[in-house]
Amino acid sequence: MDLVPRSKNIPSATTGYRDQNAALARDLAPIAQITGTPVVTQLQKGDYLGFEVAREHLVAVCRFLRDQLGFDLLSSNSGVDMLDHLESVYHIRSTTRNQLLQLKVRLSSESPEVDSVVSVWPTANWFERETYDMYGIRFSGHPDLRRMLLDDDFEGHPLLKNFHQVPLTVKPRATTQIDPNMAVSGQYQQQNMERVVQKKLGQGQQERLHPGTPTFGHANEAAQRDANVHESTESGQSTRDKNATTDEKA
Amino acid sequence: MATNQDTDLQGLTTTDSSEGVKTQEMLLNLGPQHPSTHGVLRLIMTLEGETITGCTPVIGYLHRGLEKILENRTIMAGIRYMDNSDYLSPMLNETAYVGAVEQLMGMEPPRRAQYIRLLTNELQRIASHLVGIGTYGMDLGASTPILWAFRDREGILSLFEALGGSRFNVNYMRVGGVLHDFPKDWLKECETFLDTLEKNMKEMDALLSGNEIFMSRTQGVGYIDPQQALAYGLTGPMLRASGVNWDLRVNRPYMAYREVPVNTYVRQEGDCYARYYVRLQEITESIRLCRVAIDKMPGGAISTRTPIALRPPRGESYFAVESSKGELGVYLISDGSEYPWRAKLRGPSFINLQIVPELMRGHKMSDAIAILGSTDIVLGEVDR
């Protein structure tokens, strides 16, 4: 057990990390030789620097940061959907300089592709797989770009803003969950089961009704109507009674 | 979740030795339902005899789309969902989330709220480490530590219940402060509990740390060198057990940690035993920090007034706390509405799990559980 004394580089209450950030901004200047344009750093909320980098220079800049400036710990990589474009954001820490840095790469929404930084930080492997999973950003040069958290046959990238969302005002129910009086109708269940099997994850916009439409827990109003007819003929119930209960629910 | 069984099977090699004995690599599936995986983790291992030649973790069985859920909830409603990320340390998760919002809004909670957060965070860290140590002992065949650890953890959960009304999903942190002040005599109870805990931890140390079976199964197993640990992005006790002195409470102090100094424990061995021992020592340090927080507990308000419809300004902020497992970061982007535009969780368990295949390669089958248990992952945070 080694008891290590407390670190002395706690920021002062008045200046914060101002001096360290200024030193870092000076050290970042040589990146202009890689990218050809001067680095424009921006002070982020939380007292750390951030800058944007063109996607073709990303790996070279990252290698410079790791080898020359000692940014040895990739804290996170996150995709962001800004509607007109996608972003891949890297938060990098340096354990020797004791600093945090934010790198941002702007990508097009149509074909988001960026070079992988696995060769610089091996920890980027799973980060990039997750970003690919959630945003569909392709990381070229990644050794094993597969889905991370979702199934292989999942369609779509769920954290994109245009991905199908269930509106908050309507409580969604599982498609197999039906009313008890519907459950007695075997034929309806069969139809419903078939529909569930055919349905792929991430789809379903076509069948979805307007959020305000009362569906009584059924996504498919037509199937419900069919089941009503079926049940009334089987059990000999009058259709008028059936309609009355439906109106009551509405 | 992504795996292709066919390619995994094709990777198996068959060798014919000179004596005419045919050996083939074997595929072993561990999990997703297995007591030693601490959740729903699946490991596909290729074995050559007893030696592990390859390991593929398959995760995502507990994926709830937490980041998407947070995008669809107001910030106030989202705090509660952070409890489910790392379900062994909900207080720390909430602190990370409200910290990111506060950083975005440029506000500072009152000093009393900061100290309450420090106290609850350290109690939560103790609870999380107790589970980590107790279950690790159980993984390696010692059944007493888990009973002792859960007995002690019960005290912390009772304290949380008195404080926030709930044992696990406390939902206690608020933007700008905390939900409740302490009930009557809560701090006294807390001090009594800390005294008991300190005594119990000495017993735990005597029970497990010097245990010969425990030592021989963990020492020298699963070695990570410092460069590898940093390259793989390890944080928390796993990094400190590899000899890198890195703790966000010290190196990038936030909230009350700017005033309360934290001692970090670093081990140079980098094996499973070191990771266990760092956790054990951090409990002792957390007990000390709790006492400091109780002693220095300032008076005043527990929360600043924040609007009910909380609309942070447009912008982005990355805020990280030192969770019990490592760096727990929240990257929050706001478009100026009540809903966060993007909330990314950087879970330490997710990244700490990534190194497991590297550690297992070349070890015996029986070491697999020792290595996996020493990483102390929580699948709720891995899958989010």
Side-chain angles (χ1 to χ4, degrees), chain A residues 210-234:
Chain A
H210 186 268
T213 315
T215 57
F216 312 112
H218 306 284
N220 199 338
E221 194 92 322
Q224 186 188 7
R225 208 163 40 238
D226 294 348
N228 275 343
V229 172
H230 174 72
E231 193 185 42
S232 60
T233 49
E234 282 289 305

Side-chain angles (χ1 to χ4, degrees), chain A residues 75 79 130 146-148, chain B residues 1-2 327 341-342 346 384:
Chain A
S75 259
E130 194 199 347
R146 287 179 292 138
R147 283 192 180 271
M148 187 82 243
Chain B
M1 186 67 91
E327 176 184 342
W341 181 256
R342 169 81 166 113
R346 189 264 188 219
R384 289 190 296 279

Side-chain angles (χ1 to χ4, degrees), chain B residues 88-89 92 119-133 149 152-153 156 160 190 193-194 197-198 201 279-280 282-291 324:
Chain B
L88 292 183
S89 45
L92 292 154
L119 179 58
T120 49
N121 279 9
E122 292 304 323
L123 283 173
Q124 191 71 75
R125 192 185 315 278
I126 295 170
S128 175
H129 280 341
L130 279 172
V131 175
I133 289 172
D152 293 341
R153 178 168 172 261
I156 296 173
F160 283 170
C190 187
F193 167 75
L194 289 174
L197 182 67
E198 193 167 38
M201 288 326 291
R279 286 193 189 100
L280 192 71
E282 279 188 10
I283 292 181
T284 320
E285 174 64 14
S286 290
I287 293 172
R288 190 188 70 80
L289 285 173
C290 286
R291 290 208 175 109
S324 52

